[in-house]
Amino acid sequence: MNILGIDTSCDDTSAAVVADGTRILSSIVSSQTDIHTKYGGIVPELASRRHIEMIWPVVDEALQRAGLTLGMVDAMAVCHGPGLIGSLLVGCGFAKAAAYSVQKPLVGVNHLEGHVFSVFLEAQGPEFPFLSLIVSGGHTSIYLVTGFGQYEELGRTRDDAAGEAYDKVSKLLGLGYPGGPVIDRLAEAGDSKGFDFPRAYLPDSLDFSFSGLKTAVRNVVVKSRGVETADEWLADIAASFQAAVLDVLVRKVEWAVVNKGVRGVALSGGVSANRGLRRKMQEMADERDVQLYLPSMALCTDNAAMIAAAGYHRYKAGHIAGMDLNPRAHLPL
Ligand code: KG4
Ligand code: ZN
């Protein structure tokens, strides 16, 4: 069964065709980084406009690479939230029109459910129950996943998402948007003990908080104004900031592993592309004797293959959307 997936929740226009919820026939992502980078973050109005320009070429390319036409897919799955409302509107409007025009079933998929499903697109997917850490620009949450469609949120960020903290710190340091990849690279060359940044462990809770860390970095940057700084200084800030983020992410997942007694942990979302996080989480998994499931780099950040994969299971469960499917900026999993 071939599902066409569409995601326009944030700043990437993406479309993919996935067979039977596991096999990627095509996956196209059109990035808008060039538009937003000079503003140090996503400008929602510009994102929606670019989605309108790109949606048909991206879907067309995904279909062509899969060797299909719109009328040949078995169903369509579209992300209807959470995300930027103007961006979501473009994908939802397009998907409804496309499904109606060729009389195919349409499924609405929660973006976070898509991230959870990204690991099922790898050769070896996890078995239930497992823990899913979603770490992206918009979310940082730990879920206990006991089956398809069965998610219990164990903790979430109380302020900034981890990716958002990366992006804000990157802006503070004048390193542009998105901040994750550049800080990840810089951190490899820096001393992670160069600065003693705070870790908000929030005992007795699996929640996260990254805003204090961001403020601590800002204080260092403000103090340095007018003082000549070397490249090493920047690398040390990046490494120390990253160490503070990763320590908390890994520790919280470890607590959840112990609390829930699960044997598997899956990561997803843009920050799961972070090399340091992948390494440290693997060390923790080895120590605790649990299996770690990591999406390949292309499946960490936003993509439509994960939407098609989740859409397949929604379709199987009979969750067909009507033409009244509306996007929602806030949509809990
Ligand atoms: O999942 P995603 O593509 O979009 C959202 O749903 O938010 O995640 C984007 C986020 C951005 O904040 C970006 O800075 C971060 O993921 N990111 C990274 C890395 N690559 C992307 N953060 C840390 N290290 C990376 N290598
Ligand atoms: Zn995402």
Side-chain angles (χ1 to χ4, degrees):
M1 171 167 205
N2 296 326
I3 303 229
L4 170 68
I6 294 173
D7 187 289
T8 59
S9 56
C10 196
D11 61 335
D12 290 328
T13 317
S14 47
V17 180
V18 172
D20 303 327
T22 52
R23 213 156 35 85
I24 300 174
L25 302 186
S26 65
S27 180
I28 309 296
V29 178
S30 169
S31 164
Q32 300 186 358
T33 302
D34 56 327
I35 302 181
H36 304 288
T37 195
K38 60 176 172 290
Y39 301 103
I42 299 166
V43 183
E45 177 66 20
L46 298 181
S48 330
R49 286 170 191 238
R50 179 55 81 87
H51 282 309
I52 292 172
E53 287 167 11
M54 295 312 296
I55 185 79
W56 175 240
V58 166
V59 168
D60 195 34
E61 194 173 341
L63 288 168
Q64 280 191 34
R65 290 210 190 171
L68 300 171
T69 62
L70 201 54
M72 287 161 79
V73 301
D74 296 296
M76 299 179 202
V78 66
C79 167
H80 66 118
L84 300 172
I85 195 68
S87 292
L88 289 164
L89 267 167
V90 178
C92 279
F94 179 90
K96 284 195 282 187
Y100 183 76
S101 71
V102 290
Q103 290 297 298
K104 296 288 175 183
L106 178 67
V107 182
V109 173
N110 185 307
H111 184 77
L112 300 174
E113 187 171 43
H115 275 306
V116 171
F117 272 80
S118 55
V119 282
F120 288 98
L121 290 162
E122 300 300 338
Q124 176 80 50
E127 284 181 9
F128 302 114
F130 66 92
L131 291 175
S132 179
L133 172 72
I134 304 182
V135 261
S136 69
H139 302 90
T140 300
S141 298
I142 304 179
Y143 292 93
L144 175 65
V145 184
T146 48
F148 294 115
Q150 289 164 31
Y151 317 106
E152 183 193 343
E153 191 180 63
L154 304 177
R156 57 154 57 208
T157 183
R158 295 181 182 175
D159 39 59
D160 292 345
E164 189 180 356
Y166 268 96
D167 295 335
K168 287 177 175 170
V169 163
S170 177
K171 192 172 179 179
L172 273 170
L173 299 175
L175 299 172
Y177 172 86
V182 51
I183 291 182
D184 189 3
R185 247 187 336 269
L186 260 180
E188 297 277 320
D191 175 6
S192 62
K193 296 197 170 62
F195 293 86
D196 187 17
F197 290 135
R199 279 112 169 114
Y201 285 114
L202 310 175
D204 305 324
S205 161
L206 290 174
D207 282 352
F208 301 91
S209 167
F210 295 107
S211 68
L213 170 59
K214 180 192 61 192
T215 305
V217 176
R218 178 181 295 124
N219 291 342
V220 168
V221 172
V222 168
K223 261 198 209 143
S224 76
R225 285 203 180 125
V227 181
E228 197 157 330
T229 52
D231 286 352
E232 293 79 45
W233 178 83
L234 210 56
D236 288 353
I237 292 187
S240 306
F241 161 77
Q242 175 154 301
V245 174
L246 303 194
D247 280 353
V248 176
L249 290 176
V250 174
R251 181 76 64 88
K252 292 277 164 154
V253 171
E254 187 174 18
W255 289 355
V257 164
V258 173
N259 272 342
K260 297 292 169 185
V262 292
R263 310 295 332 138
V265 170
L267 304 191
S268 64
V271 182
S272 65
N274 187 275
R275 290 171 294 175
L277 177 62
R278 294 167 86 95
R279 223 170 22 236
K280 287 197 166 187
M281 201 64 87
Q282 189 63 64
E283 286 166 14
M284 183 280 289
D286 291 344
E287 269 168 35
R288 292 282 171 188
D289 196 23
V290 295
Q291 191 70 36
L292 181 65
Y293 299 90
L294 297 168
S296 57
M297 292 299 188
L299 292 175
C300 289
T301 43
D302 287 350
N303 65 87
M306 66 186 197
I307 301 298
Y312 171 77
H313 293 283
R314 292 240 149 246
Y315 177 78
K316 287 271 182 191
H319 298 167
I320 307 300
M323 284 297 124
D324 56 351
L325 177 74
N326 273 325
R328 283 172 54 189
H330 300 283
L331 185 64
L333 185 56

